[in-house]
Amino acid sequence: MSDHRERFALALSDGWRFADLHSTPTEIRTLLVRDDGRTLLERTPHAGSVPTIVDLAPAAGWDEREAHDRDGVRFEGHEPLRPLLDHDLRLDRWTVPVHGHDAHQVAVGPIHAGVIESGHFRFHVVGERILHLDARLFYKHRGLERAAEGRTLDEGLAYAARACGACAAANGIAYALACEDALGLAPTPQLARVRTLLLELERMWSHLNDIAAVCAGVGLAAGNNRFAALTERARRLNAALTGHRFLFGSVRVGGSDLLIERVVVHAAREEVEALREESRSAWRELLFNGSFQDRLPDVGVLDAANARILGAVGPAARAAGVAEDARAAASGLAYDGFAPVVPKRAAGDVRARLEQRALELLQTFEVLERLLEGRIGPADAAPGGVERPIGVGRVESARGATSCVVERDGDRVARLRLRTGSYANWPAVAHAAVGNLLPDFPLINKSFELCYACADR
Amino acid sequence: MLTLLRDLRRLRRDTALPQGRPASIAIRHVDAGSCNGCEHELTLATSPYVDLQRFGLGVVASPRHADVLLVTGPVTTRMREPLLTAYHAMPEPRRVAALGDCALGCNLLGSASELVGAVEELLPVDLRIPGCPPDPERIANALLALLEPS
């Protein structure tokens, strides 16, 4: 079955990029994307074994480990194939051996010292310096993808959306787009508008929260409080528009039932303008706070070359100078004329990732102000496209490109795969931590601000 | 500084919470498999709008300092042991609060083999805070009930 690897290598040389790999009991499926937003799904039957592609696309490392744990697929050449989903009790099965004078391990988690999701980090350190980090997540694995199998396509939405409360709109919309792709439905401009609105509302509170988190990470209470208050206002705005602070229940396969009267839309637009002005002023205060700014440069560096190799996405990749954003070529959404931004000093450190959030917030305010014009009414996707057994949906969540692949059996889910921006970026966090001081890890981690729930599913 | 205090007073005027500082409680939060929604709302329960700390309620870094174990999420099979370990590390008297619908066992999503289920399957639950997720004001109001003399 070596054509899996050969076709993948050919696609790479043809300008395609790796986006996802997942398994079924009988197939390996590889998703590739192009800059213009086109996707290509390669399907290869496997009889328990296929050649690895991890040397061609290191970003597939986690995917192959997951496929092995889930369906027992062996990837020839991927050695050692460490467990990912499975929690092997033997330390040497899932950690990288680190030897040398005074090298020792520091185990952190799964329960952390604040209000933080659960996950385990095994640091290999000398003194306070991190030599290597093994992240062992999936403590929150709820088996959502498997549980969705056999449900109707409508019911399946909850399993994708609720994988993560913080990315519920992005995950839900990626799922809806995948189903519609399989059903031969195309979102109308009205549907595209309401979904883009939801995605940007989610990004607004999320980026405000992430800036607050970095302030908290260095102990700057004033900055944390200011951005936390703005986050609260953004969530209240979500509730005013959709009835839910995290936009739960606002996404539907094949259409939208959201009804927002003109006067509510108008008030929301005024609030977005107010949030834009106040976050600008709060950001200015951070810029002129020397002791805060001194903590940020050269910490947790992920440079452009490694961001590409590791397949990093979203603000973390753009902060390293990789100007890729799924919004620039999104189909079925209303991002006309959207161009990715990167900071002037795209050093890929904590400072650049923080600046990236501030830059993207400005874009988000702009898109929201454009979309919050006039009444929002029910909308439907238009039929008439080609029906197929497997559909693909891709959106840019606040953490980065999120892909959803849905295989259907009539109107039921046969296989669901959700590969979120967080899943893509966790290996980059482990990379960025190397060479830094252990006490700086919380700050580095917060500058990526990835969801554990999004990865664990 | 005065401006800041005035701003805080203005922000808090509209929240329906008791005034003053009746007592103090140390809370240890454990995410036993949540979707991260409850964590984000709990985080904002310490934002200037609600500011739980002013009532003497603080999240502490270790269960050994905690009076209350605040658990979110449907307990996953993988978080069962860590959750029990945290509980047994707490000094008596200790109380358990289940935060959010999942922790209460409502509308759980997932594979049966991966989930233990509601928190009360494992631990005696003293306080139930429903909602998906409950908003910061609701979380704060529920936790403040722990301060009432029983």
Side-chain angles (χ1 to χ4, degrees), chain A residues 124-143:
Chain A
H124 305 260
V125 296
V126 168
E128 289 199 322
R129 193 144 325 255
I130 301 168
L131 294 178
H132 177 74
L133 164 59
D134 289 304
R136 186 203 216 190
L137 304 186
F138 300 93
Y139 281 87
K140 291 155 63 98
H141 180 58
R142 288 145 288 161

Side-chain angles (χ1 to χ4, degrees), chain B residues 80-149:
Chain B
R80 184 179 180 279
E81 287 305 317
L83 175 63
L84 290 174
T85 306
Y87 177 73
H88 291 299
M90 291 170 72
E92 302 263 15
R94 57 195 167 194
R95 293 198 226 174
V96 177
L99 174 61
D101 284 352
C102 290
L104 297 174
C106 303
N107 301 320
L108 298 189
L109 290 179
S111 304
S113 62
E114 302 290 351
L115 300 179
V116 175
V119 176
E120 65 185 352
E121 307 273 329
L122 290 175
L123 297 172
V125 174
D126 303 287
L127 179 71
R128 295 172 167 77
I129 313 175
C132 182
D135 66 35
E137 215 167 308
R138 197 165 176 186
I139 296 171
N141 262 317
L143 290 173
L144 288 175
L146 288 171
L147 296 173
E148 301 290 326

Side-chain angles (χ1 to χ4, degrees), chain A residues 190 193-194 197 241 260-270 272-273 365-377:
Chain A
Q190 292 83 358
R193 174 195 174 204
V194 65
L197 180 67
L241 282 170
I260 312 173
E261 291 306 334
R262 185 181 295 274
V263 51
V264 178
V265 174
H266 185 74
R269 193 191 152 113
E270 283 184 355
V272 169
E273 284 167 7
F365 291 135
E366 208 172 282
V367 175
L368 284 174
E369 284 168 26
R370 170 167 63 80
L371 295 175
L372 287 167
E373 182 71 67
R375 180 176 176 273
I376 288 169

Side-chain angles (χ1 to χ4, degrees), chain A residues 440-453:
Chain A
D440 270 349
F441 182 71
L443 175 62
I444 296 167
N445 202 12
K446 278 180 193 298
S447 73
F448 282 88
E449 191 65 7
L450 305 180
C451 319
Y452 299 62

Side-chain angles (χ1 to χ4, degrees), chain A residues 85 87 110-118 138-144 146-147 158-159 162-166 205 209 225 228-229 231-233 235-236 244-246 248 449 451 453, chain B residues 11 15 28-37 39-44 46-49 59-61 74 76 78-79 82-83 86 102 107 109-111 114-115 132-133 135-137:
Chain A
L85 243 65
H87 278 185
I111 301 174
H112 300 290
V115 178
I116 302 167
E117 293 185 89
S118 291
F138 300 93
Y139 281 87
K140 291 155 63 98
H141 180 58
R142 288 145 288 161
L144 290 169
R146 265 195 212 282
Y159 295 83
R162 293 264 304 278
C164 179
W205 79 252
N209 168 78
N225 272 349
T231 310
E232 172 65 27
R233 277 174 62 177
R235 287 218 198 118
R236 287 182 183 184
H244 197 281
R245 287 162 59 90
F246 292 85
F248 287 6
E449 191 65 7
C451 319
Chain B
L11 289 177
T15 57
R28 176 60 265 183
H29 160 252
V30 173
D31 162 18
S34 87
C35 78
N36 201 7
E39 279 68 24
H40 275 292
E41 291 295 56
L42 181 58
T43 300
L44 283 192
T46 62
S47 85
Y49 279 88
V59 174
V60 292
T76 60
R78 295 137 190 258
M79 279 308 292
L83 175 63
C102 290
N107 301 320
L109 290 179
S111 304
E114 302 290 351
L115 300 179
C132 182
D135 66 35
E137 215 167 308

Side-chain angles (χ1 to χ4, degrees), chain A residues 81-404:
Chain A
L81 192 58
R82 299 178 205 283
L84 187 78
L85 243 65
D86 284 351
H87 278 185
D88 200 307
L89 291 174
R90 281 182 48 197
L91 200 61
D92 61 341
R93 286 268 299 124
W94 60 271
T95 53
V96 171
V98 173
H99 305 287
H101 178 67
D102 212 22
H104 63 282
Q105 294 184 6
V106 177
V108 177
I111 301 174
H112 300 290
V115 178
I116 302 167
E117 293 185 89
S118 291
H120 179 84
F121 299 108
R122 174 91 30 176
F123 296 93
H124 305 260
V125 296
V126 168
E128 289 199 322
R129 193 144 325 255
I130 301 168
L131 294 178
H132 177 74
L133 164 59
D134 289 304
R136 186 203 216 190
L137 304 186
F138 300 93
Y139 281 87
K140 291 155 63 98
H141 180 58
R142 288 145 288 161
L144 290 169
E145 291 178 353
R146 265 195 212 282
E149 291 171 10
R151 306 272 170 185
T152 65
L153 293 178
D154 287 340
E155 290 167 347
L157 181 95
Y159 295 83
R162 293 264 304 278
C164 179
C167 307
N171 293 346
I173 290 169
Y175 173 87
L177 288 170
C179 289
E180 288 155 14
D181 183 34
L183 293 166
L185 300 171
T188 54
Q190 292 83 358
L191 183 55
R193 174 195 174 204
V194 65
R195 285 183 176 167
T196 309
L197 180 67
L198 294 172
L199 286 168
E200 294 309 308
L201 285 170
E202 188 166 84
R203 194 178 331 272
M204 179 168 67
W205 79 252
S206 197
H207 278 19
L208 289 167
N209 168 78
D210 295 357
I211 296 174
V214 169
C215 294
V218 300
L220 183 69
N224 177 30
N225 272 349
R226 207 142 171 216
F227 277 94
L230 293 171
T231 310
E232 172 65 27
R233 277 174 62 177
R235 287 218 198 118
R236 287 182 183 184
L237 180 64
N238 287 348
L241 282 170
T242 70
H244 197 281
R245 287 162 59 90
F246 292 85
L247 311 164
F248 287 6
S250 308
V251 180
R252 171 165 77 76
V253 175
S256 167
D257 301 321
L258 213 55
L259 189 80
I260 312 173
E261 291 306 334
R262 185 181 295 274
V263 51
V264 178
V265 174
H266 185 74
R269 193 191 152 113
E270 283 184 355
E271 176 67 351
V272 169
E273 284 167 7
L275 285 169
R276 168 160 52 87
E277 286 318 306
E278 290 192 32
S279 53
R280 261 192 181 147
S281 127
W283 178 251
R284 251 194 317 270
E285 272 186 40
L286 291 186
L287 282 182
F288 289 104
N289 187 324
S291 63
F292 172 72
Q293 291 294 334
D294 280 353
R295 284 288 283 114
L296 312 175
D298 308 319
V299 180
V301 176
L302 171 73
D303 64 24
N306 280 306
R308 283 187 196 282
I309 289 170
L310 293 167
V313 295
R318 292 190 283 276
V322 179
E324 284 167 11
D325 191 315
R327 288 177 285 177
S331 59
L333 296 169
Y335 285 116
D336 329 319
F338 183 92
V341 284
V342 296
K344 270 200 204 90
R345 184 189 152 282
D349 52 9
V350 171
R351 179 174 140 186
R353 284 189 287 277
L354 184 68
E355 271 181 39
Q356 183 66 29
R357 295 318 195 307
L359 285 172
E360 291 186 17
L361 266 175
L362 296 178
Q363 290 182 302
T364 291
F365 291 135
E366 208 172 282
V367 175
L368 284 174
E369 284 168 26
R370 170 167 63 80
L371 295 175
L372 287 167
E373 182 71 67
R375 180 176 176 273
I376 288 169
D380 280 305
V386 186
E387 289 197 35
R388 41 178 151 234
I390 303 183
V392 177
R394 250 172 88 81
V395 300
E396 182 79 16
S397 82
R399 327 266 158 238
T402 293
S403 305
C404 186

